[in-house]
């Protein structure tokens, strides 16, 4: 209990401090300080990706996951920004000496930048009184520059190198709190702006370079160490596309969709730019159809554009991001590679424009809204249904422009191989609705007309939305002209009344006769919806023969027994949850539950569910259903019928089991007879 209390206090402390932080960066810094506190004052916990030099201040989620970009991370403890160790003392008790910017560069891992300031004769400028912010590339950042670029800089130190360093400088002091998301500041190189992004996970970037050591204060300014050398940006995103031959097809598509001006205007876009190779991977018929359809083309292109600017370094875990098309892309990372929807298809990152960033991808992303119904099925868990629709000759229709809704059973719905014949072709036609719908527009009692001419009924339950016996098993897929609803079962449209269903199945021959004897045939043919838990011949034959004969000859008692097996209303198996209740036509209640994909009613398992009729549904049971006691243990109410009990216990429970019936004598005799038979079997 003491440990739990301390843990709760720690969580409260972390939450209180982080909520009081002035910026996301300050929040993760505070969290890292708290995690490092046991190791001494001013110690921060850092997470380092194994096998790399990348380190991050840790937030709560990363701390427990111990992963960054899907790779294991190890915890290290280092001095927080602005502090240093003292030999022999715990933690980092000493504040770094406050010196000028030039000297600070040498103290914070930017000695290469310090060296280049000497070569470019910049030392005197940054030593003078004033206030300057220096986004200083780390030593590793300079080492990562291509040799030809570095050679060009150092071979012309008075112009190229000096200009490059000036672009990393702003003529004012900017702390991490001043580096607001989406802000820009004028650099000291020809008034070109540097572009800041401050992300919710605490990562701060300048021109997509990550700040790895932030807020290193100096007497005449401040230093932020960054992980790459940044370059001046003068062109917008579209100008970048316009000059790259590898994006020629994209350029043509943007012009055809009338989107050129958008990418030339002010904004903060992220464009996942498909290369020519990406377009070439698409089947020509599909690509030509989309390119020739302005609506589909705009949806496709907008699906590649995020509403905000997302630099590669800001991604440390998968997260959904909204596109201009309206749906989301899952943007994540796997080690050093960015991923889209779980696929490592990003080949080049962080190509910056004044109004956004471009990441190159080698696969075209086609949103559902640009797909035909056949294309919606491809890649979904409805491959068997896809083939069945093709075998039924529906391919051309589902590839066309007619507004339809496809009811596609998921692969698990096909329990056995099916042969395409006339009846199966008719059934597949009845899985296509004549209008385009979404699950949000469907309501209880609605009738949906199919291509086959049938009208399917809609049933809305607390836990499910069902069309006849099949319930929706996944989110809608809304295509260019039609929509697809993934169903958990193959539809079995009703072909007759409840009486027709029972007569057509040999398992219910005794029940059919009993209904006729009880004068309930008309009830089975009426229009009002009923749910029938239909005892099979096995259920009747399990009764002692004399008692069965007596029951079948007593019309009144037979009617009472049968009405306990009938519920008012329509309940398919997909609408059953734990402790679902239904009012029988006679008696107090029917209690249902689901266990291991089997429906139970008053503890009796349903052996076959959802035999659909025009006026209800039939569920087959192999036992006669008995009334439940007044109090039922909820754990048992959803389970199978109990095993063989002693005769005395059965006799004791008989009165409560018979509750709800006017004449209990017949059932007392039945119960005693069953008890007697049980005793005989034991002997």
């Amino acid at each position: 209990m003491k440990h739990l209390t301390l843990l709760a206090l720690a969580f409260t402390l972390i939450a209180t401090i982080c909520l009081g932080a002035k910026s996301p960066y300050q929040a993760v810094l505070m969290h890292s300080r708290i995690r490092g506190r046991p190791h001494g004052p001013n110690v921060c916990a850092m997470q380092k990706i194994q096998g790399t030099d990348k380190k991050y201040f840790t937030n709560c989620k990363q701390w427990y996951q111990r992963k960054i970009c899907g790779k294991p991370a190890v915890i290290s403890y280092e001095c927080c920004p602005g502090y240093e160790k003292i030999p022999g003392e715990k933690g980092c008790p000493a504040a770094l000496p406050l010196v000028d910017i030039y000297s600070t560069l040498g103290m914070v891992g930017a000695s290469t930048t310090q060296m280049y300031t000497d070569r470019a004769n910049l030392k005197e400028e940054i030593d003078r009184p004033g206030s300057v912010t220096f986004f200083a590339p780390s030593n590793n950042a300079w080492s990562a520059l291509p040799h030809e670029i570095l050679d060009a800089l150092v071979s012309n130190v008075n112009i190229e190198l000096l200009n490059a360093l000036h672009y990393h400088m702003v003529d004012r002091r900017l702390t991490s709190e001043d580096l607001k998301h989406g802000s820009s500041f004028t650099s000291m190189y020809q008034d070109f702006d540097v572009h800041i992004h401050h992300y919710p996970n605490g990562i701060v970037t300048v021109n997509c370079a990550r700040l790895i050591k932030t807020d290193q204060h100096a007497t005449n300014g401040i230093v932020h160490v960054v992980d790459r050398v940044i370059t001046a940006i003068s062109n917008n995103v579209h100008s970048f596309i316009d000059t790259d031959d590898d994006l020629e097809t994209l350029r043509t598509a943007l012009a055809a969709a009338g989107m050129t001006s958008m990418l030339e205007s002010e904004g903060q876009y992220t464009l996942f730019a498909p290369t020519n190779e990406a377009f070439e991977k698409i089947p020509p018929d599909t690509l030509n159809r989309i390119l020739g359809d302005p609506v589909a083309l705009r949806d496709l292109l907008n699906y590649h554009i995020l509403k905000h600017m997302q630099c590669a370094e800001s991604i440390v875990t998968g997260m959904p991001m909204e596109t201009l098309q309206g749906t989301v892309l899952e943007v994540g990372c796997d080690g050093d590679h960015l991923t889209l929807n779980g696929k490592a298809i990003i080949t080049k990152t962080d190509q910056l424009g004044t109004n956004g960033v471009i990441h190159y991808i080698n696969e075209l992303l086609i949103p559902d809204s640009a797909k035909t119904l056949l294309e919606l099925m491809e890649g979904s868990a409805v491959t068997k249904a896809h083939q069945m629709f093709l075998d039924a000759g529906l391919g051309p229709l589902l590839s066309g422009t007619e507004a339809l809704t496809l009811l596609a059973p998921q692969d698990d719905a096909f329990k056995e191989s099916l042969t395409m014949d006339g009846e199966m072709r008719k059934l597949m036609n009845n899985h296509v609705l004549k209008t385009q719908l979404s699950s949000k527009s469907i309501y209880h009692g609605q009738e949906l007309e199919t291509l086959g001419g049938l009208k399917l009924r809609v049933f809305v339950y607390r836990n499910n939305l069902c069309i006849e016996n099949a319930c929706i098993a996944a989110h809608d897929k809304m295509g260019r002209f039609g929509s697809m609803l993934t169903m958990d079962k193959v539809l079995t449209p009703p072909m007759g009344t409840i009486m027709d269903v029972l007569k057509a199945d040999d398992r219910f021959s005794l029940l059919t006769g009993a209904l006729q004897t009880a004068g309930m045939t008309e009830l089975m043919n009426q229009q009002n919806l009923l749910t029938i838990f239909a005892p099979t011949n096995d259920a009747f034959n399990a009764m002692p023969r004399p008692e069965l004969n007596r029951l079948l000859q007593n019309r009144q008692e037979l009617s009472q027994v049968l009405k306990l097996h009938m519920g008012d209303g329509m309940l398919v198996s997909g609408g059953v949850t734990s402790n679902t209740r239904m009012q029988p036509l006679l008696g107090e209640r029917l209690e249902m539950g689901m266990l291991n994909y089997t429906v139970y009613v008053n503890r009796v398992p349903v052996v076959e569910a959802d035999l659909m009729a025009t006026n209800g549904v039939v569920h087959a049971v192999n036992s006669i259903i008995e009334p439940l006691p007044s109090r039922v243990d909820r754990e048992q109410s959803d389970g199978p019928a109990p095993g063989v009990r002693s005769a005395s216990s059965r006799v004791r429970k008989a009165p409560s089991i018979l509750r709800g019936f006017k004449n209990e004598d017949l059932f007392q005799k039945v119960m005693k007879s069953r008890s007697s038979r049980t005793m005989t079997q034991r002997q």
Side-chain angles (χ1 to χ4, degrees):
M1 181 62 71
K2 181 180 179 181
H3 292 299
L4 290 174
T5 303
L6 291 174
L7 187 61
L9 288 172
F11 277 126
T12 303
L13 176 63
I14 291 171
T16 302
I17 292 178
C18 290
L19 286 173
K22 295 182 179 180
S23 70
Y25 167 76
Q26 290 295 331
V28 296
L29 177 61
M30 287 180 179
H31 181 267
S32 293
R33 292 180 72 102
I34 292 169
R35 295 299 182 185
R37 187 172 293 169
H39 297 267
N42 305 312
V43 174
C44 284
M46 304 286 289
Q47 282 196 317
K48 178 181 177 182
I49 303 177
Q50 290 184 3
T52 74
D53 293 324
K54 283 190 169 184
K55 295 179 182 178
Y56 298 83
F57 290 121
T58 175
N59 59 31
C60 207
K61 183 177 180 180
Q62 291 169 345
W63 176 265
Y64 289 106
Q65 288 184 342
R66 293 292 200 273
K67 284 187 176 182
I68 296 175
C69 284
K71 302 300 179 183
V74 294
I75 303 295
S76 63
Y77 296 93
E78 304 179 6
C79 291
C80 295
Y83 295 90
E84 64 179 351
K85 292 180 177 294
I86 295 179
E89 294 193 27
K90 187 177 181 181
C92 304
L96 284 171
L98 200 62
V99 294
D100 59 34
I101 283 181
Y102 178 82
S103 301
T104 301
L105 292 173
M107 297 169 57
V108 296
S111 57
T112 304
T113 300
Q114 185 186 51
M115 177 187 68
Y116 286 141
T117 61
D118 279 329
R119 291 194 187 182
N121 296 317
L122 192 60
K123 180 176 183 298
E124 183 179 347
E125 184 178 340
I126 61 176
D127 273 349
R128 70 188 180 189
S131 189
V132 172
T133 297
F134 204 142
F135 296 102
S138 67
N139 296 339
N140 288 338
W142 289 105
S143 299
L145 268 184
H147 293 301
E148 61 273 15
I149 295 178
L150 185 59
D151 290 344
L153 291 174
V154 299
S155 64
N156 191 349
V157 294
N158 293 325
I159 298 178
E160 298 296 341
L161 183 59
L162 181 63
N163 289 341
L165 291 172
H166 270 149
Y167 186 61
H168 289 76
M169 299 167 63
V170 175
D171 195 13
R172 56 186 285 199
R173 181 190 297 266
L174 298 170
T175 68
S176 60
E177 292 179 10
D178 299 314
L179 302 178
K180 306 296 185 183
H181 188 70
S183 60
S184 296
F185 300 97
T186 303
S187 76
M188 295 172 65
Y189 168 59
Q190 296 184 6
D191 292 337
F192 280 103
D193 285 347
V194 293
H195 303 276
I196 305 298
H197 288 88
H198 195 144
Y199 295 96
N201 59 7
I203 290 176
V204 185
T205 64
V206 52
N207 287 23
C208 284
R210 181 168 69 94
L211 277 60
I212 55 177
K213 289 185 179 179
T214 306
D215 292 336
Q216 308 294 325
H217 290 272
T219 56
N220 59 340
I222 193 168
V223 174
H224 305 292
V225 181
V226 296
D227 67 353
R228 73 179 73 164
V229 178
I230 63 176
T231 56
I233 304 168
S234 58
N235 294 319
N236 58 48
V237 167
H238 188 267
S239 296
F240 197 101
I241 298 170
D242 211 27
T243 57
D244 192 336
D245 290 340
D246 202 24
L247 302 177
E248 181 180 0
T249 308
L250 174 61
R251 182 164 62 247
T252 302
L254 287 168
M259 295 175 60
T260 300
S261 59
M262 182 189 76
L263 295 179
E264 291 175 337
S265 62
E266 291 186 5
Q268 292 285 308
Y269 302 112
T270 299
L271 171 62
F272 296 102
T275 61
N276 297 339
E277 175 193 0
F279 281 97
E280 290 166 1
K281 292 179 180 179
I282 302 301
D285 289 345
T286 300
L287 183 58
N288 290 334
R289 176 184 62 78
I290 294 175
L291 293 176
D293 180 349
V295 175
L297 181 58
R298 279 194 296 272
D299 274 359
L300 180 140
L301 294 172
N302 281 327
Y303 189 53
H304 290 75
I305 305 174
L306 301 182
K307 290 185 173 181
H308 57 275
M309 185 166 162
Q310 200 75 39
C311 296
E313 284 296 326
S314 68
I315 306 297
V316 295
T317 187
M319 61 184 75
M321 297 186 185
E322 189 174 0
T323 67
L324 293 185
Q325 183 260 347
T327 55
V328 298
L329 286 173
E330 182 74 19
V331 183
C333 52
D334 183 10
D336 292 332
H337 302 288
L338 281 187
T339 60
L340 282 181
N341 294 340
K343 300 170 70 175
I345 61 175
I346 298 176
T347 57
K348 187 162 51 173
T349 62
D350 293 344
Q351 306 302 302
L352 285 171
T354 55
N355 59 345
V357 62
I358 299 176
H359 307 298
Y360 284 50
I361 58 176
N362 60 13
E363 286 188 19
L364 192 65
L365 306 171
I366 304 179
D368 288 346
S369 60
K371 293 180 180 179
T372 65
L373 284 170
L374 274 186
E375 290 165 351
L376 285 178
M377 285 191 283
E378 296 170 1
S380 301
V382 292
T383 54
K384 293 180 180 178
H386 178 255
Q387 189 59 50
M388 294 296 290
F389 283 117
L390 290 177
D391 292 344
L394 292 170
L397 178 69
L398 301 181
S399 298
T401 60
E402 191 170 344
L404 302 168
T405 300
L406 195 64
L407 307 178
Q410 59 190 8
D411 288 340
D412 292 346
F414 294 91
K415 305 301 183 185
E416 56 189 27
S417 59
L418 300 174
T419 303
M420 185 55 62
D421 53 20
E423 285 300 314
M424 183 54 63
R425 190 170 290 107
K426 183 178 179 182
L427 178 62
M428 298 314 294
N429 272 272
N430 285 324
H431 280 74
V432 183
L433 304 179
K434 284 186 174 182
T435 186
Q436 183 176 9
L437 297 169
S438 73
S439 60
K440 294 180 180 179
S441 65
I442 295 175
Y443 55 89
H444 187 75
Q446 187 178 8
E447 291 188 339
L448 309 173
E449 188 175 358
T450 71
L451 288 182
L454 289 183
K455 289 190 176 180
L456 305 178
R457 300 161 294 181
V458 176
F459 306 107
V460 178
Y461 303 103
R462 288 188 180 275
N463 63 316
N464 253 329
L465 194 160
C466 305
I467 300 173
E468 294 297 340
N469 61 301
C471 302
I472 296 176
H475 292 298
D476 303 0
K477 285 184 172 291
M478 305 301 292
R480 173 66 181 92
F481 301 105
S483 54
M484 184 180 82
L485 307 182
T486 303
M487 313 303 291
D488 65 352
K489 298 181 182 71
V490 177
L491 284 169
T492 55
M495 296 301 175
T497 65
I498 292 173
M499 201 64 187
D500 294 329
V501 171
L502 296 175
K503 285 182 176 180
D505 194 325
D506 291 340
R507 293 175 299 173
F508 303 119
S509 59
L510 290 177
L511 174 59
T512 302
L515 289 168
Q516 292 171 339
T517 300
M520 301 175 69
T521 302
E522 185 177 347
L523 180 64
M524 297 296 99
N525 287 319
Q526 70 174 8
Q527 292 185 354
N528 294 338
L529 296 178
L530 293 174
T531 298
I532 308 297
F533 296 95
T536 61
N537 294 344
D538 289 341
F540 284 106
N541 289 330
M543 295 178 64
R545 180 58 58 180
E547 301 306 329
L548 173 60
N549 291 338
R550 185 178 297 112
L551 176 63
L552 294 177
Q553 293 171 8
N554 189 322
R555 178 171 177 168
Q556 181 181 359
E557 299 300 336
L558 180 58
S559 175
Q560 292 176 349
V561 171
L562 293 177
K563 285 182 178 179
L564 179 62
H565 293 71
M566 303 174 186
D568 189 15
M570 185 88 170
L571 182 63
V572 299
S573 61
V576 175
T577 60
S578 178
N579 296 315
T580 298
R581 291 195 174 195
M582 195 172 206
Q583 181 64 46
L585 297 188
L586 183 66
E588 287 187 359
R589 69 190 183 281
L590 291 171
E591 286 200 0
M592 283 147 283
M594 184 76 73
L595 182 65
N596 296 330
Y597 304 103
T598 299
V599 175
Y600 286 82
V601 51
N602 286 17
R603 308 183 202 177
V604 173
V606 172
V607 295
E608 185 176 355
D610 301 331
L611 303 174
M612 305 303 292
T614 55
N615 60 340
V617 60
V618 174
H619 306 296
V621 293
N622 278 344
S623 299
I624 300 295
I625 296 173
E626 299 173 352
L628 286 172
S630 57
R631 292 185 179 180
V632 182
D633 185 273
R634 289 189 177 272
E635 292 182 1
Q636 291 183 348
S637 67
D638 290 338
V644 176
R645 295 170 290 181
S646 68
S648 59
S649 68
R650 282 184 174 269
V651 171
R652 283 197 304 271
K653 293 190 72 174
S656 61
I657 291 177
L658 302 180
R659 180 175 293 136
F661 291 95
K662 298 177 181 178
N663 189 338
E664 298 182 356
D665 292 343
L666 175 61
F667 283 93
Q668 289 281 8
K669 293 177 181 178
V670 170
M671 295 300 295
K672 289 180 180 179
S673 176
R674 288 184 182 179
S675 300
S676 175
R677 184 176 61 174
T678 301
M679 294 293 291
T680 303
Q681 288 173 347
R682 288 185 173 183
Q683 293 173 357

